[in-house]
Amino acid sequence: MGVPKRKLAKHRGRQRRAMNMKLEAPSLVACPQCHALIQPHHLCPECGYYKNREVVAAANK
């Protein structure tokens, strides 16, 4: 079994794990009704539509 010749700092292991924990920007798609950018599978806050159906009545109509 291999034995390390030198002591490794805790920072090395933490830095290696942290390299894989990146933040990613949320994916955005255009709303088919008003063409505002929304997250996929979410209600459009601009027009109140979800899957081409009005779910919430828009306040500015």
Side-chain angles (χ1 to χ4, degrees):
M1 186 169 158
V3 179
K5 284 192 174 186
R6 302 212 182 263
K7 181 177 178 179
L8 291 175
K10 294 174 192 166
H11 174 70
R12 281 187 173 274
R14 290 179 189 145
Q15 187 176 18
R16 190 168 45 248
R17 277 189 292 277
M19 288 177 72
N20 296 316
M21 291 191 252
K22 315 178 194 57
L23 290 176
E24 293 181 3
S27 60
L28 299 174
V29 296
C31 172
Q33 298 293 324
C34 66
H35 306 291
L37 292 178
I38 59 170
Q39 289 183 334
H41 309 288
H42 281 71
L43 174 76
C44 179
E46 301 294 322
C47 63
Y49 274 73
Y50 179 70
K51 288 192 175 180
N52 295 327
R53 271 189 259 146
E54 188 173 12
V55 180
V56 178
N60 296 346
K61 279 191 174 181

